[in-house]
Amino acid sequence: MDFEVSYNLDDEQQFWDELDDIVSAQCQTHGLIDDVLRSYFAFISNYKGDFLHTEYDIVRCSLKLLESSLFSTHKDYVRRQIIYGLLEEESPETLHLIVALLLCDGRDNETTFEMMNEEGTFPRLVELIYERKDDDAGLHRMLLELLYEMSRIQRLRIQDLILIEDDFIRYLFQVIEGLSDDVNDPYHYPIIRVLLILNEQYMVSTHDPGPDQLPTTNLANKVIQVLSTHGSAFKTFGENIILLLNRESETSLQLLILKLLYLLFTTSSTYEYFYTNDLRVLVDVMIRNLLDLPLSATPLRHTYLRVLYPLLAHTQLKHPPHYKKDELLRLLTMMTASGGATEHHFGSVDETTKRLVGRCVRVPWLKDDLAPGDGEAKVARKLLGVEMLEGLASSLSVVEVTTTQKERPGVLTGSRQKEDQERRDSALTEPPPRHDAGLSGGRLEVNVPSSASAVGKSPFDGGEEEASIGAAGGSRSRSESGSGAY
């Protein structure tokens, strides 16, 4: 996109004024639009070092074009030209602008990310992240964010997933490991999210094949494969996803984390990937979240229960001393109890919850204090007060985890504790009895380092409230409902 532009600018305001003039041009032909785009990229690239000092300045430049009449009149053509620039451009300065434009536009218009997928930009993003890692750090982080945002709203093409090499996945894990002394480093969050969404894409490709996928296509999950063979070298990633689950309020991201945990706890080579202390933190997080999820979050509650069973049955937690045994049994009992405060807290019990809870209580070390002759049905009656039907004893299905539990990006998970508090605050008479269903006389606190709640921010982090560690989390969302994109 080389284009000669010569200006004599005395201050930053002149820069913004000139940029306004460039994007205000009226164009009626594709050739004139191309001229404006060349002028736009060349002008900003020439003066980036003088007047653009932060990523927010880069975003401001993007908004100048995206909010112009030129873009609103010729959206489809301008978007496609910018995407072609991503595929062809080599200059780091221009690439930084292109990536920022696609992120800003795609966040508000998923059509942009869909167009990127159609034009085959995924391999190009992987290439730029891996081969241009020594370029500007801001560009590198935006590339990671763009790959994540593009991948989480749609199914990627099987021919693109096949191109991912083990070296690329190992590189992402190595970057996290190299930053293990600084959890606030801005690379932590974007790289973890990329690994989570790649795992999701592999799961969908394997268990819910698309129309373009041949039945004979055998696509290995490179994320699980690398952790299976080199997990001991990449422990920091495991620590970080537990910390993320502890504080994350966005439902879709919780599901991404839970799906990866499910695979790790159901793959024999990764049963003991996590440190034991981290697994104990995870148990605390899961107990708290299961207690705090609102009644409307039944699908998310099911996913937590699907992960809880292999966590208790397959990992180091199966060995004495058994962590939080009494609290776990009490929670599982309450989740299927009928009547009283517990039913008020968890609502009516659906058959899937009964089945999943029944499977959890059959973990050997949870029921080892029962009489030797107690069978699975008797365990269910004694602990849960429910009959365990024959059909409910079936094994968990990875297909269920992959294909049935989805949520649109941006939707935040509510909090029962927050809802109960708001209900009490709004009562005009004496407040009703509290139904916290606490496990030791009060709310469960999960004690993890406070620095884990602070993650490097960028202009593209969205700005929603984040759930604080051990707290209830926000209930605002950009979208009240919606199914997953795939």
Side-chain angles (χ1 to χ4, degrees):
M1 291 188 178
D2 296 329
F3 193 73
E4 287 296 327
V5 181
S6 179
Y7 294 92
N8 184 19
L9 304 181
D10 296 325
D11 54 43
E12 185 174 338
Q13 187 56 49
Q14 280 191 331
F15 170 84
W16 294 112
D17 291 342
E18 292 291 349
L19 187 59
D20 283 333
D21 289 342
I22 291 173
V23 300
S24 297
Q26 300 298 314
C27 303
Q28 302 302 322
T29 67
H30 289 171
L32 290 175
I33 295 173
D34 291 343
D35 288 343
V36 170
L37 291 177
R38 282 192 288 267
S39 297
Y40 170 85
F41 286 115
F43 176 74
I44 298 174
S45 297
N46 286 346
Y47 294 99
K48 182 179 179 224
D50 297 324
F51 302 116
L52 304 182
H53 307 298
T54 68
E55 289 186 24
Y56 290 91
D57 293 330
I58 299 293
V59 171
R60 184 180 176 186
C61 290
S62 300
L63 294 177
K64 291 286 187 183
L65 177 60
L66 297 176
E67 294 173 356
S68 69
S69 60
L70 172 70
F71 183 78
S72 61
T73 306
H74 307 282
K75 285 183 180 178
D76 187 72
Y77 181 78
V78 174
R79 280 176 180 147
R80 204 167 293 277
Q81 292 303 99
I82 294 172
I83 290 172
Y84 289 159
L86 175 66
L87 293 170
E88 300 171 359
E89 185 58 53
E90 295 297 332
S91 165
E93 290 77 14
T94 306
L95 278 172
H96 203 163
L97 297 170
I98 290 172
V99 173
L101 277 165
L102 293 172
L103 266 173
C104 286
D105 187 32
R107 279 285 180 91
D108 291 330
N109 305 276
E110 292 182 356
T111 300
T112 300
F113 295 142
E114 293 166 357
M115 188 182 295
M116 288 176 60
N117 196 29
E118 293 168 4
E119 295 293 342
T121 61
F122 180 81
R124 173 63 169 165
L125 288 174
V126 171
E127 173 193 338
L128 289 172
I129 290 170
Y130 187 48
E131 297 183 0
R132 307 289 290 271
K133 47 185 175 284
D134 296 327
D135 286 343
D136 181 81
L139 167 60
H140 198 250
R141 183 168 69 177
M142 281 194 186
L143 285 166
L144 290 163
E145 291 172 338
L146 182 58
L147 187 146
Y148 170 73
E149 294 290 351
M150 168 192 167
S151 303
R152 74 169 178 163
I153 61 100
Q154 62 193 322
R155 180 197 294 268
L156 296 178
R157 304 184 306 178
I158 186 66
Q159 60 265 39
D160 291 339
L161 284 175
I162 290 174
L163 295 176
I164 298 178
E165 299 286 347
D166 290 356
D167 287 346
F168 176 70
I169 302 297
R170 280 196 296 270
Y171 160 69
L172 296 178
F173 282 121
Q174 287 165 354
V175 173
I176 295 172
E177 203 66 29
L179 301 169
S180 60
D181 292 334
D182 184 8
V183 76
N184 295 317
D185 190 283
Y187 279 125
H188 261 97
Y189 197 42
I191 291 181
I192 290 170
R193 292 196 302 180
V194 166
L195 287 165
L196 290 173
I197 200 61
L198 290 179
N199 175 71
E200 165 85 347
Q201 291 287 345
Y202 283 125
M203 291 182 74
V204 171
S205 175
T206 300
H207 301 288
D208 185 25
D212 63 333
Q213 189 169 337
L214 297 176
T216 55
T217 303
N218 185 15
L219 184 62
N221 186 329
K222 298 293 181 68
V223 177
I224 298 298
Q225 193 174 71
V226 169
L227 289 178
S228 295
T229 55
H230 305 286
S232 60
F234 303 131
K235 293 284 193 177
T236 302
F237 172 75
E239 298 170 8
N240 285 344
I241 61 173
I242 292 175
L243 297 181
L244 273 180
L245 185 64
N246 185 41
R247 72 166 187 83
E248 188 55 56
S249 59
E250 184 177 352
T251 305
S252 64
L253 196 50
Q254 287 185 63
L255 287 169
L256 289 179
I257 296 170
L258 290 169
K259 290 178 181 182
L260 178 62
L261 291 174
Y262 178 84
L263 283 187
L264 291 173
F265 298 148
T266 55
T267 302
S268 59
S269 55
T270 54
Y271 282 173
E272 299 189 359
Y273 164 65
F274 293 91
Y275 291 117
T276 302
N277 283 341
D278 291 334
L279 293 176
R280 289 172 176 169
V281 172
L282 180 58
V283 169
D284 288 342
V285 171
M286 296 188 76
I287 291 175
R288 185 204 64 197
N289 288 356
L290 283 168
L291 281 171
D292 197 43
L293 288 175
L295 294 177
S296 59
T298 299
L300 183 58
R301 185 178 295 108
H302 290 167
T303 306
Y304 271 101
L305 289 171
R306 287 188 170 101
V307 175
L308 183 61
Y309 169 75
L311 166 64
L312 301 178
H314 297 158
T315 70
Q316 304 97 294
L317 295 178
K318 66 184 179 181
H319 304 300
H322 295 132
Y323 187 70
K324 293 291 177 73
K325 177 178 179 178
D326 292 341
E327 288 88 342
L328 285 164
L329 285 173
R330 199 172 306 147
L331 168 66
L332 295 169
T333 301
M334 288 190 299
M335 291 186 71
T336 53
S338 299
T342 53
E343 183 172 352
H344 172 83
H345 186 89
F346 289 105
S348 58
V349 184
D350 61 277
E351 292 301 313
T352 300
T353 297
K354 289 181 182 179
R355 172 171 63 87
L356 296 174
V357 169
R359 184 171 176 83
C360 289
V361 299
R362 296 198 303 275
V363 170
W365 63 267
L366 280 182
K367 64 174 184 176
D368 61 7
D369 58 344
L370 300 175
D374 287 349
E376 292 180 351
K378 193 170 182 180
V379 170
R381 286 196 302 272
K382 186 174 290 189
L383 291 177
L384 309 176
V386 298
E387 293 294 330
M388 185 58 59
L389 302 178
E390 185 68 24
L392 300 183
S394 59
S395 63
L396 287 177
S397 169
V398 69
V399 178
E400 287 182 289
V401 176
T402 304
T403 62
T404 65
Q405 308 303 321
K406 301 187 179 78
E407 182 56 88
R408 191 166 186 80
V411 177
L412 304 188
T413 304
S415 164
R416 279 305 302 273
Q417 186 174 20
K418 184 174 181 179
E419 290 176 359
D420 289 347
Q421 185 63 51
E422 290 173 349
R423 191 179 300 112
R424 287 192 295 273
D425 291 344
S426 64
L428 299 178
T429 59
E430 182 180 349
R434 178 168 178 160
H435 302 299
D436 283 330
L439 289 185
S440 293
R443 180 169 64 87
L444 174 68
E445 294 286 347
V446 181
N447 297 315
V448 295
S450 59
S451 62
S453 64
V455 178
K457 302 287 288 183
S458 86
F460 301 100
D461 279 351
E464 295 95 345
E465 290 182 27
E466 293 180 352
S468 62
I469 294 178
S475 60
R476 295 183 294 119
S477 74
R478 292 183 297 211
S479 166
E480 292 302 320
S481 63
S483 59
Y486 47 86

